[in-house]
Amino acid sequence: MLFNSYIFIFLFLPLSLLTYFLLLKWEKVSAAKYSLFFSSLFFYAYGNVKYSILIMTSILVNYYISEFLMKIKLPSKRKALFYFALLFNIGLLCFFKYMDFFIENVNWLFGSEIGLLKIVLPLGISFFTLQQLAFVIDVYTGQAKENKFIDYGLFVTFFPQLVAGPIVHYKDIIPQFQSKDNKSFKAESLSLGIFIFTIGLFKKVIIADTFAPFASEGFKHVGDLHFFYAWGTSLAYAFQIYFDFSGYSDMAIGLGAMFNIKIPANFKSPYKSTNIVDFWSRWHITLTNFITAYIFTPIVRSMPKMTFPYMMLSMFLAMTIAGLWHGAAWTFVVFGVLHGAAIVIHHNWKKYKIKLPVYVSWPVTFIFVSMCFTMFRAKTVEQAWRIYKGMFGFSGFQLPKGILSTELMNSWGIKYGPHMVNDENIHLALIIICFFIVRKMKNSVEHAQEFKRTHKEALVTAMMFVLCLFGLNRLTEFIYFNF
Amino acid sequence: MKKFNSYFFLYSGLLFFGLYGLIIAVDPYDKLGINVFGLKTKAVASSRENKFYLLESSKDAYEAFILGSSTAHKYHTEDLEALTGLKTFNYAVQHTTPEDYVAIINHIRSMFKPKLIVLQVAFVDLDKNYETDKILYSSPLKDFLGQESKNTYIKEDIFSNNYMTLDALRDTFRVILINIAGEIRHQYLAHGNYIPQKDGTGPVQVVQFSHQNWILDLNRVEMLKKIQKECKDAGINLVVISAPVSIDHLEKIQADPHMNNALKIYKNVLAETFENVHDFTTEKVREFNTTEFFGNSTHPTRKFSKYMLDEIWRKK
């Protein structure tokens, strides 16, 4: 089920809220939690019931392994169980997500013809697997305590964050479900939730979905992409992915707020970043935190020495893994490698006190990030490379129609190029508007902090919401659903 | 503290029903037959209504008719009259498929005894994925639909989700603005001729390129066969033209194996269905690759339309 659908907004969400808070009002706390748990499972299974079997299996295996880990004292047995848990979770992810990628590469390397399994990627598997891995690791290291099954189940399945994050840590979520303060309906929480949800919905439905056809058209015609079109395509996708993903995260946070659950922020104006480390402290923040705690730190600890070069190597490897986490294709590996390399370069510049002025560092960071997202979106590395060629003028230089008069163009020997989509002016206008939004305007976290629940805010929110209602008919999925 | 929630729901309700009510009242796509504000023109050109009533109210005894989609808009009746000596009416309307041609011919034959019909059939006309314009079913032509169409159309109602879209919202305001302060588009002059356009000299923009999933619609082929038979039985000279596209458009089609094959199928269907077919979807258009001859890649100008008629009648 999609957040940006009538059935979710007008049926599922009100019913879930009503059931949950009514049961809490009648002091049926367990029943309320189970109602939310089953609502979340229903949300997940909507469209494909098989998904719910997978997630339930994953929850049960991880929960009971954790229980045993907490009870068993013998180190060798604990270690064996822990490795089994790692194998189970990573194995699940590898099977569903990476098996065909692995087979393709074996076929390419050895000239074999092993048939692909064509496994359908279950929704959200990367997210709920990571969350549970973090929990199991913390249980093994003695940092997590025992929890009731329903609390654990809710932590994994809570529908606002289930399918595409933010990646919540059990320490953030489980105590909130257990807290007495959250057990009653709060009008102010509903207000905040509606406000943030609407911002997210607007970002997705009005902005991201408007960019989508421009980006798609560009990626379909990589051979025809001259300079302006190549940049237009790259920028269109950079904005699409940002507004799509941050919009989803805002909706998740808003929905959480409606249930009195604070879901951590995932984006804080990443396109204002002036260096790559700054970017990753603002983009998909929960993923950055997970990578730091559960991938980078163990890698660093496994290095022979704690020196700068080994730290850099660890960072590079962690980012490469993060790239591969996004998808089973070489483009994602290259995406991770590029970011890893950029972070290493940044740290080296910092070490040698090389600093760029903001008017250089911001465009360099933004252009680098956009180009990495081009790699991210491309079907193959070669496709991305063709777009890069276009962006640097190696595929010709033709202006979109209407920029200058034909006579002037002819006198300078410049031609108008073939046109990609009919609404080039809208594309250009939207890019300019989005530059202003991402550079100058406050992000949703800042808006939420200044939220005062006035009737003026209600009017603006209502206007955005109603506009989005008209946009829900162009049903599109979220980009991060593919992960 | 409770102000926000109450106001939010109140404003949302008011805004939503207000805007949706406005869209219905304007009926920008003429789907409901509503025109509360008495608007002169709607977002989607009401070419079916315009041409229908133009013909109904005309005192001329037309003997020749030009049919087709907007690609046939620019055939000028004077140009055909000069070649044939027959009083001509241009009945080209927007977004047509063979269902429209059946209805239009039925309408024509209900009023006149035509001697000549020039029918321009476009590549998209036979594509199953190119839907028949639903406006046909709410236009006056609905009373002239072929028997095969009478049961297929779906009655639009005010809860149709065609109007719960951003496009409908945008077009509602656009229609209002155009009626207050803008230029009314797609006006037709006497005999169904299009308002004169200034031909340019620049490059031709490739537009409406939507053939990637072309599938032959066999029902429409049957409708074309029916048209041929009825015209032959009634002694009407039916001249069929494959709608031309610019060379860039054609090359894009030919570059894709599926589309290239589809193009061949389309041409074969025309050749096998009609006795008098003239193919202008060919390399011949290469020398006409400016806006003097093509307003955009699918819409020839009057100059090119005249060229086609001259070529056809020169061969005769």
Side-chain angles (χ1 to χ4, degrees):
Chain A
M1 202 185 292
L2 298 173
F3 291 164
N4 54 320
S5 64
Y6 297 117
I7 195 164
F8 176 83
I9 292 171
F10 292 110
L11 196 61
F12 178 85
L13 180 62
L15 275 177
S16 305
L17 279 168
L18 193 66
T19 314
Y20 181 68
F21 283 113
L22 262 179
L23 287 168
L24 283 177
K25 190 176 177 178
W26 296 333
E27 293 180 13
K28 309 271 185 216
V29 175
S30 248
K33 286 182 181 177
Y34 272 103
S35 82
L36 192 51
F37 176 69
F38 285 115
S39 299
S40 299
L41 279 180
F42 176 80
F43 172 86
Y44 184 71
Y46 189 82
N48 193 334
V49 177
K50 285 184 215 165
Y51 289 164
S52 57
I53 300 168
L54 175 74
I55 196 173
M56 273 309 301
T57 308
S58 175
I59 289 172
L60 287 166
V61 168
N62 280 294
Y63 178 73
Y64 285 107
I65 284 176
S66 306
E67 288 290 291
F68 285 135
L69 277 172
M70 282 186 242
K71 289 183 169 87
I72 292 170
K73 303 293 174 205
L74 196 63
S76 57
K77 275 193 178 167
R78 292 188 85 241
K79 202 173 192 175
L81 203 55
F82 173 64
Y83 282 138
F84 174 75
L86 282 182
L87 198 67
F88 173 77
N89 284 294
I90 296 171
L92 206 69
L93 203 56
C94 284
F95 176 76
F96 282 102
K97 197 164 174 175
Y98 300 108
M99 191 51 94
D100 280 348
F101 178 56
F102 175 72
I103 292 172
E104 274 169 5
N105 283 286
V106 163
N107 286 342
W108 174 76
L109 210 58
F110 299 109
S112 54
E113 287 175 3
I114 306 167
L116 299 178
L117 301 179
K118 297 201 174 142
I119 302 165
V120 173
L121 184 68
L123 273 183
I125 189 168
S126 302
F127 292 91
F128 67 71
T129 304
L130 279 193
Q131 284 176 199
Q132 294 188 91
L133 257 176
F135 181 75
V136 167
I137 290 168
D138 282 1
V139 165
Y140 179 67
T141 56
Q143 294 178 65
K145 64 179 178 87
E146 205 166 337
N147 293 290
K148 287 186 192 168
F149 175 78
I150 185 57
D151 289 329
Y152 178 81
L154 263 182
F155 144 65
V156 178
T157 62
F158 186 40
F159 71 84
Q161 53 79 42
L162 170 59
V163 177
I167 301 169
V168 296
H169 200 266
Y170 66 91
K171 282 182 190 167
D172 295 328
I173 296 299
I174 293 178
Q176 292 190 70
F177 278 113
Q178 293 167 338
S179 165
K180 283 182 185 157
D181 289 338
N182 292 339
K183 285 187 172 55
S184 58
F185 172 76
K186 294 175 189 170
E188 57 269 28
S189 296
L190 181 67
S191 306
L192 182 65
I194 289 172
F195 180 67
I196 302 174
F197 178 84
T198 303
I199 291 174
L201 190 66
F202 188 88
K203 280 179 177 178
K204 162 66 179 164
V205 171
I206 304 300
I207 304 179
D209 288 352
T210 304
F211 269 122
F214 299 118
S216 297
E217 194 68 15
F219 278 94
K220 256 193 249 170
H221 296 101
V222 291
D224 294 334
L225 289 183
H226 305 284
F227 183 79
F228 281 102
Y229 288 118
W231 276 101
T233 301
S234 178
L235 290 173
Y237 187 68
F239 286 124
Q240 183 197 352
I241 191 171
Y242 170 60
F243 284 105
D244 189 286
F245 194 20
S246 68
Y248 186 93
S249 295
D250 288 341
M251 281 192 262
I253 291 165
L255 290 167
M258 292 181 199
F259 288 89
N260 298 331
I261 301 297
K262 192 168 188 293
I263 289 175
N266 220 9
F267 292 86
K268 287 184 184 170
S269 305
Y271 288 158
K272 286 181 183 169
S273 308
T274 51
N275 62 67
I276 199 67
V277 169
D278 186 24
F279 174 77
W280 280 101
S281 70
R282 296 166 180 261
W283 176 279
H284 205 174
I285 298 166
T286 56
L287 177 69
T288 305
N289 293 341
F290 180 89
I291 292 167
T292 307
Y294 296 102
I295 299 176
F296 171 68
T297 304
I299 293 175
V300 162
R301 286 188 183 149
S302 68
M303 291 287 166
K305 291 182 217 174
M306 198 77 82
T307 59
F308 183 77
Y310 279 120
M311 292 277 283
M312 294 300 104
L313 178 62
S314 307
M315 221 166 275
F316 181 79
L317 289 172
M319 284 310 297
T320 305
I321 293 169
L324 188 58
W325 171 83
H326 282 88
W330 286 110
T331 48
F332 296 110
V333 176
V334 172
F335 172 80
V337 162
L338 286 171
H339 276 280
I343 290 173
V344 166
I345 291 169
H346 169 79
H347 281 296
N348 274 282
W349 283 2
K350 212 171 151 186
K351 187 181 178 191
Y352 295 108
K353 294 183 174 38
I354 300 169
K355 201 173 172 180
L356 297 174
V358 168
Y359 58 81
V360 173
S361 62
W362 176 75
V364 165
T365 306
F366 181 81
I367 289 168
F368 174 78
V369 161
S370 301
M371 290 180 71
C372 287
F373 279 134
T374 299
M375 178 65 69
F376 190 86
R377 169 65 170 79
K379 281 206 173 99
T380 61
V381 174
E382 196 257 336
Q383 192 187 51
W385 185 246
R386 289 173 84 176
I387 297 175
Y388 293 155
K389 276 175 69 178
M391 287 168 83
F392 287 102
F394 290 107
S395 300
F397 189 89
Q398 292 183 351
L399 281 179
K401 198 172 181 184
I403 300 289
L404 295 168
S405 76
T406 313
E407 290 79 21
L408 193 61
M409 295 270 285
N410 286 342
S411 71
W412 290 352
I414 300 172
K415 291 182 201 170
Y416 278 127
H419 302 277
M420 305 308 297
V421 288
N422 287 334
D423 298 318
E424 287 170 342
N425 293 337
I426 295 173
H427 183 183
L428 183 63
L430 206 53
I431 286 176
I432 293 168
I433 290 167
C434 284
F435 264 121
F436 176 77
I437 293 173
V438 301
R439 284 290 296 154
K440 295 293 177 193
M441 285 181 69
K442 291 181 185 155
N443 56 51
S444 47
V445 172
E446 288 159 342
H447 280 300
Q449 283 164 354
E450 294 173 8
F451 180 57
K452 293 206 181 356
R453 302 179 191 90
T454 62
H455 76 272
K456 278 185 192 167
E457 284 168 328
L459 175 61
V460 172
T461 310
M463 284 166 68
M464 286 167 62
F465 181 71
V466 168
L467 201 61
C468 292
L469 287 185
F470 283 96
L472 294 185
N473 266 310
R474 45 176 186 184
L475 211 63
T476 54
E477 278 194 346
F478 292 91
I479 292 172
Y480 266 69
F481 269 26
N482 296 319
F483 313 132
Chain B
M1 283 299 173
K2 286 181 186 170
K3 267 186 193 170
F4 180 91
N5 293 335
S6 313
Y7 278 118
F8 170 76
F9 289 116
L10 177 68
Y11 288 140
S12 296
L14 286 173
L15 278 167
F16 174 74
F17 286 109
L19 287 175
Y20 194 66
L22 182 66
I23 291 172
I24 298 298
V26 169
D27 188 15
Y29 306 134
D30 253 340
K31 290 188 186 302
L32 307 172
I34 295 173
N35 192 356
V36 169
F37 304 115
L39 301 165
K40 289 192 203 97
T41 186
K42 299 292 185 80
V44 174
S46 311
S47 51
R48 285 175 186 79
E49 281 86 346
N50 289 169
K51 297 254 174 127
F52 182 94
Y53 292 121
L54 204 55
L55 192 65
E56 290 268 321
S57 60
S58 175
K59 292 181 173 45
D60 289 301
Y62 295 107
E63 296 176 299
F65 294 85
I66 300 168
L67 272 57
S69 65
S70 54
T71 61
H73 262 164
K74 309 285 177 64
Y75 283 106
H76 203 286
T77 54
E78 283 176 3
D79 297 335
L80 188 60
E81 281 173 20
L83 292 166
T84 62
L86 299 173
K87 192 79 191 151
T88 305
F89 185 85
N90 183 321
Y91 210 142
V93 301
Q94 249 119 338
H95 193 134
T96 50
T97 57
E99 270 185 279
D100 288 278
Y101 306 143
V102 169
I104 289 169
I105 291 174
N106 286 342
H107 178 226
I108 290 168
R109 292 185 65 200
S110 73
M111 293 178 68
F112 304 97
K113 283 191 167 51
K115 290 180 179 166
L116 167 67
I117 290 177
V118 175
L119 170 63
Q120 182 160 287
V121 180
F123 184 31
V124 289
D125 288 1
L126 299 183
D127 182 2
K128 206 169 183 173
N129 292 314
Y130 184 74
E131 286 184 7
T132 296
D133 192 346
K134 290 191 176 63
I135 293 175
L136 169 65
Y137 305 122
S138 57
S139 74
L141 282 170
K142 70 179 185 293
D143 297 326
F144 296 91
L145 285 169
Q147 201 53 47
E148 61 281 321
S149 302
K150 283 195 193 293
N151 299 323
T152 58
Y153 83 90
I154 301 155
K155 193 173 181 308
E156 295 286 338
D157 59 44
I158 62 167
F159 297 110
S160 159
N161 66 8
N162 281 334
Y163 278 166
M164 268 290 292
T165 63
L166 289 171
D167 286 345
L169 190 60
R170 176 202 64 202
D171 287 338
T172 297
F173 286 106
R174 209 165 73 178
V175 164
I176 293 169
L177 270 169
I178 284 172
N179 278 275
I180 293 170
E183 201 184 302
I184 293 166
R185 296 175 67 198
H186 299 303
Q187 282 180 292
Y188 300 105
L189 305 175
H191 317 302
N193 285 311
Y194 203 79
I195 50 172
Q197 303 273 285
K198 199 174 157 189
D199 297 334
T201 53
V204 179
Q205 185 179 0
V206 174
V207 298
Q208 295 176 354
F209 196 85
S210 56
H211 320 294
Q212 290 88 338
N213 301 313
W214 197 97
I215 303 173
L216 180 65
D217 189 323
L218 293 170
N219 289 331
R220 292 182 189 171
V221 175
E222 289 305 309
M223 289 178 202
L224 293 180
K225 284 180 182 168
K226 189 180 156 190
I227 288 171
Q228 171 65 70
K229 184 179 182 306
E230 286 182 0
C231 285
K232 189 171 179 177
D233 292 345
I236 301 169
N237 180 14
L238 178 64
V239 174
V240 173
I241 301 173
S242 72
V245 292
S246 71
I247 190 65
D248 289 331
H249 197 121
L250 183 64
E251 283 176 347
K252 267 187 101 158
I253 292 172
Q254 289 168 335
D256 180 275
H258 171 75
M259 285 192 280
N260 194 33
N261 192 47
L263 185 69
K264 287 179 187 161
I265 293 172
Y266 151 75
K267 290 191 186 197
N268 282 343
V269 163
L270 292 184
E272 286 166 10
T273 305
F274 298 107
E275 292 176 4
N276 190 357
V277 182
H278 301 269
D279 183 13
F280 284 93
T281 323
T282 65
E283 290 277 326
K284 273 191 256 183
V285 297
R286 189 176 293 279
E287 57 188 283
F288 300 99
N289 198 24
T290 67
T291 51
E292 189 183 352
F293 302 103
F294 279 90
N296 56 48
S297 68
T298 53
H299 290 79
T301 60
R302 178 180 172 177
K303 222 171 220 171
F304 192 80
S305 303
K306 182 176 185 301
Y307 162 80
M308 287 193 284
L309 292 176
D310 288 344
E311 283 289 295
I312 292 167
W313 262 265
R314 186 176 56 78
K315 282 180 197 164
K316 285 177 186 286

